[in-house]
Amino acid sequence: MRILIKHFIAGIIACLTLSGCMQHNGDIGDWFGTWKLESITIDGTESADYQDNIFFQFQTDKVRIVAIDLELPATRTECFGMWTETDKTLTIDLSHTSANNPGHFNPLPESLMIKGVNTFTIDSKTSKRMQWTMHTVNPERTVTYSLKKQ
């Protein structure tokens, strides 16, 4: 009986240990996890170039942006950057470089983001959906991103 209780307690401890926090360096709230980019609109019109295949993954102050190849889902293009949120502003910094992996910090062309700092107004944000707007200068336009939590 005593051995059974020890195994039971060891099992509970193992479960608690394995179900620990997966958000390294702190809780980032609703941002954490994978968000599917459902649509990109440019001045109110859906982007004809967007193929419904981009995902944003937020963790700590890092962001991974992934485009899945629709014909070969195991094939993907990805880029990495830093992100911050203040009040109603989201900043995604894609200005980093790497001699070993130069493409890992280049924005995906279909995302309409630039190599550098991208600043968005957070129009709405819940634990399930987000919408951001970015105003670009050259060309002058308003780009809106609608995302859904996966």
Side-chain angles (χ1 to χ4, degrees):
M1 182 69 161
R2 185 175 262 175
I3 293 175
L4 183 62
I5 292 173
K6 285 183 181 180
H7 285 291
F8 178 74
I9 292 172
I12 290 175
I13 291 171
C15 286
L16 291 173
T17 302
L18 293 174
S19 66
C21 179
M22 297 299 293
Q23 299 185 42
H24 302 292
N25 297 326
D27 182 6
I28 60 171
D30 294 335
W31 290 99
F32 182 77
T34 300
W35 292 82
K36 183 174 190 293
L37 181 58
E38 291 195 309
S39 68
I40 299 174
T41 60
I42 304 165
D43 295 327
T45 302
E46 285 210 28
S47 171
D49 295 330
Y50 181 55
Q51 298 178 9
D52 195 35
N53 64 332
I54 294 179
F55 297 84
F56 286 76
Q57 297 176 317
F58 295 91
Q59 185 171 340
T60 349
D61 59 349
K62 314 288 186 290
V63 62
R64 175 181 181 224
I65 306 166
V66 182
I68 304 297
D69 185 319
L70 298 175
E71 294 178 13
L72 298 167
T75 305
R76 64 188 177 276
T77 305
E78 59 190 2
C79 75
F80 297 88
M82 307 292 285
W83 73 277
T84 58
E85 173 196 21
T86 55
D87 297 322
K88 289 286 192 176
T89 302
L90 168 66
T91 303
I92 297 181
D93 183 353
L94 301 174
S95 64
H96 302 285
T97 59
S98 168
N100 296 334
N101 296 306
H104 279 203
F105 300 102
N106 292 334
L108 307 172
E110 61 271 35
S111 74
L112 304 178
M113 289 189 277
I114 63 165
K115 175 78 175 161
V117 177
N118 297 269
T119 303
F120 304 87
T121 300
I122 301 169
D123 303 319
S124 61
K125 183 181 88 162
T126 69
S127 62
K128 302 284 185 204
R129 293 194 176 276
M130 286 195 269
Q131 183 173 299
W132 320 324
T133 300
M134 174 174 63
H135 301 282
T136 64
V137 177
N138 192 12
E140 189 173 324
R141 61 188 177 185
T142 301
V143 183
T144 302
Y145 301 76
S146 297
L147 299 96
K148 180 180 178 184
K149 184 81 167 258
Q150 296 299 288

